[in-house]
Amino acid sequence: MKVETYIFGLGIFFFLPAAIVYGFMTGWLEWVGIIGLLLITGLCAMIGFYLGFTGRRVGARPEDRLDGEIHEGAGEQGHFSPWSWWPLVLGAAAAIGFLGLAVGWWIVYIAGGLTVVALIGWVYEYSRGSHAH
């Protein structure tokens, strides 16, 4: 994961000066662009740190080595929730939330309640039922 870590790490050294240059060019009066570029800088830092940390913990993948073969990457690639309906409920809550922004603010409160229910259900789906540990 070294390549991915370097790509996102170098993003920090691009977006931070870009935010500063943008600030000087707009006279520090246009805050949306400056804050957006600073948020992108933070996002690059978080993703780069995560990929570097995970790369040290997991080790070299077949695609990271020059002598890596295709068959070395076969098999399970991670853990995915089988038969999980909670992402669908969470997506419906997001859609209802955006509908509330367009139609009326009272709908956003309904979407917020549905979002809380969906997040709790998704987080605790392995604590009960047939997939409980």
Side-chain angles (χ1 to χ4, degrees):
M1 292 188 176
K2 282 186 176 181
V3 175
E4 294 96 339
T5 304
Y6 291 145
I7 288 172
F8 281 101
L10 290 175
I12 298 168
F13 298 109
F14 173 76
F15 288 115
L16 185 61
I20 294 170
V21 168
Y22 185 83
F24 279 116
M25 290 183 71
T26 60
W28 301 98
L29 296 175
E30 201 280 310
W31 287 96
V32 175
I34 298 167
I35 292 173
L37 286 168
L38 291 175
L39 287 173
I40 291 173
T41 303
L43 185 64
C44 284
M46 288 189 296
I47 293 174
F49 173 76
Y50 172 77
L51 290 174
F53 180 76
T54 304
R56 283 191 298 273
R57 187 172 46 98
V58 173
R61 301 172 300 175
E63 55 265 24
D64 292 334
R65 300 190 329 259
L66 294 176
D67 62 342
E69 298 287 332
I70 293 174
H71 67 84
E72 293 180 72
E76 271 191 43
Q77 296 295 323
H79 174 73
F80 302 99
S81 299
W83 312 106
S84 180
W85 289 91
W86 292 112
L88 183 65
V89 176
L90 192 60
I96 293 170
F98 280 108
L99 175 72
L101 292 176
V103 175
W105 283 100
W106 62 273
I107 299 175
V108 175
Y109 298 121
I110 296 171
L114 187 59
T115 301
V116 170
V117 169
L119 284 174
I120 290 172
W122 199 2
V123 168
Y124 290 111
E125 74 180 331
Y126 289 110
S127 299
R128 58 182 173 78
S130 60
H131 299 292
H133 294 265

